[in-house]
Amino acid sequence: MILTPLPRTPDGDIPAPVLTELTALYASNREFHALSGDFPDPDDVRPEQVAAALADELAHPGAQVLLARSAGRLVGLVVTLAEHPDPADPDPWIGLLMVDANAQRQGYGRRLASLTEDRFRSAGHTAVRLGVLDATPKSLAFWTALGYEVIGHREDRALGRPCAILRKALSTPLRTPRRAARVAVVDPDGSVFLFRYDNVEVGVHWALPGGGLEADERPSEGALRELHEETGWTDLTHPGLLVHTWEHDFTLPHSRLRSSGGTPIVGPVHQHEHIYVTHGPHREPTGPHLAAAHAEDGILTWDWWTRKKLAEAPEPLWPPSLARLLDNWQGV
């Protein structure tokens, strides 16, 4: 995911293609708008209304609107305030965080919140605050799950709606960079092999075989080594075509895994990952030590996913664009 400031024309307007994307993003969150009352008709969110709402956000000193894109697609936005209008409030604020409703439950919200916190942390801030409308309990559950604590209640300054005020200390160190690579093994029927992981930070998700690279190891070499270690399929001798690179965050709990320099690391990491695709037979992982290795890596189980299951994605999938990547690869 990449964060970029909201583009503006020389006249200060939002470029038409971007405004179209933003309108679709806002319109997808119909349930939230129905509860918040931000738009007169949550079933008919219009471009001029979105433009006016963002103009109001940017009218505050130090405000910034950041767009979140994944694989070129707009998946969310965040509005930040360098400082609250109340001079007694020392912390920066997250004014709004919104993820496309059609892309929720894929980790985008957590990733967007983490990137925003990193920006504040890099600027020297030690905490961040936000307000959650009492009418939106799902939002409160999301933020408290990320470590935000309710510190008070008051009405919001714009419309007088009751809100909970939350705060999170930013004492956690910046994430450790980590290089990784994974292999999508596709069987003759087009199904892809995936592991089901449970991670302390991001929860349950499905991902391809793979992991962190050793010092000076090329991504193609590391992808193949990890594939052999996690599946026992040593007859696959080439990782296939490189189809994607992406970045994401999670917490690494196991000291046996290594940073780019080869030293043991634990805790929050920012992972830059190479994705390869190759053909392989439909079979089970095999080997005497796989159970212990899977337990150490947080692997719960495995399965072959059909294209139909990929399209439906019943649980979060890494990378989220895997179905599209495989479709493009089949067309090469």
Side-chain angles (χ1 to χ4, degrees), residues 186-208:
V186 179
D187 74 5
D189 293 328
S191 296
V192 62
F193 182 83
L194 294 171
F195 284 124
R196 189 172 187 253
Y197 288 84
D198 188 8
N199 182 262
V200 65
E201 177 179 350
V202 300
V204 172
H205 62 282
W206 291 81
L208 302 163

Side-chain angles (χ1 to χ4, degrees), residues 35-280:
L35 295 171
S36 68
D38 286 334
F39 293 91
D41 183 354
D43 292 313
D44 185 23
V45 176
R46 301 180 180 181
E48 59 270 22
Q49 295 172 330
V50 173
L54 291 174
D56 288 343
E57 299 281 8
L58 290 171
H60 298 286
Q64 190 173 30
V65 176
L66 302 170
L67 306 186
R69 295 186 180 276
S70 178
R73 175 192 173 196
L74 181 67
V75 295
L77 68 78
V78 62
V79 178
T80 64
L81 296 173
E83 57 185 26
H84 194 267
D86 183 352
D89 186 341
D91 300 323
W93 277 63
I94 296 175
L96 173 68
L97 186 148
M98 183 181 298
V99 173
D100 188 332
N102 300 309
Q104 290 176 3
R105 300 186 61 82
Q106 298 182 34
Y108 288 126
R110 288 174 176 267
R111 175 79 177 115
L112 183 50
S114 177
L115 288 174
T116 304
E117 292 167 6
D118 284 347
R119 292 174 71 94
F120 285 139
R121 189 182 289 110
S122 298
H125 297 291
T126 57
V128 58
R129 301 190 191 199
L130 54 88
V132 174
L133 297 176
D134 287 356
T136 57
K138 288 183 179 180
S139 296
L140 182 62
F142 170 80
W143 289 110
T144 54
L146 295 184
Y148 286 76
E149 298 180 354
V150 177
I151 61 171
H153 296 270
R154 67 186 186 210
E155 294 182 346
D156 78 322
R157 298 172 68 93
L159 299 175
R161 298 166 295 185
C163 296
I165 307 303
L166 289 79
R167 184 178 188 269
K168 180 179 180 179
L170 299 179
S171 57
T172 304
L174 291 175
R175 294 179 180 270
T176 302
R178 185 171 185 254
R179 299 165 56 242
R182 298 185 182 275
V183 182
V185 179
V186 179
D187 74 5
D189 293 328
S191 296
V192 62
F193 182 83
L194 294 171
F195 284 124
R196 189 172 187 253
Y197 288 84
D198 188 8
N199 182 262
V200 65
E201 177 179 350
V202 300
V204 172
H205 62 282
W206 291 81
L208 302 163
L213 304 182
E214 297 178 351
D216 301 324
E217 188 175 39
R218 293 195 300 269
S220 58
E221 296 173 340
L224 200 59
R225 173 184 54 77
E226 287 282 340
L227 176 66
H228 293 167
E229 292 176 359
E230 294 183 346
T231 66
W233 301 338
T234 56
D235 57 319
L236 297 179
T237 59
H238 192 278
L241 180 69
L242 176 65
V243 295
H244 189 50
T245 61
W246 74 301
E247 300 179 14
H248 61 100
D249 290 345
F250 69 106
T251 295
L252 184 67
H254 306 300
S255 60
R256 78 175 185 88
L257 299 177
R258 306 285 169 167
S259 69
S260 300
T263 56
I265 57 173
V266 294
V269 298
H270 179 68
Q271 184 148 293
H272 185 278
E273 200 165 89
H274 288 65
I275 305 295
Y276 296 86
V277 183
T278 191
H279 289 289

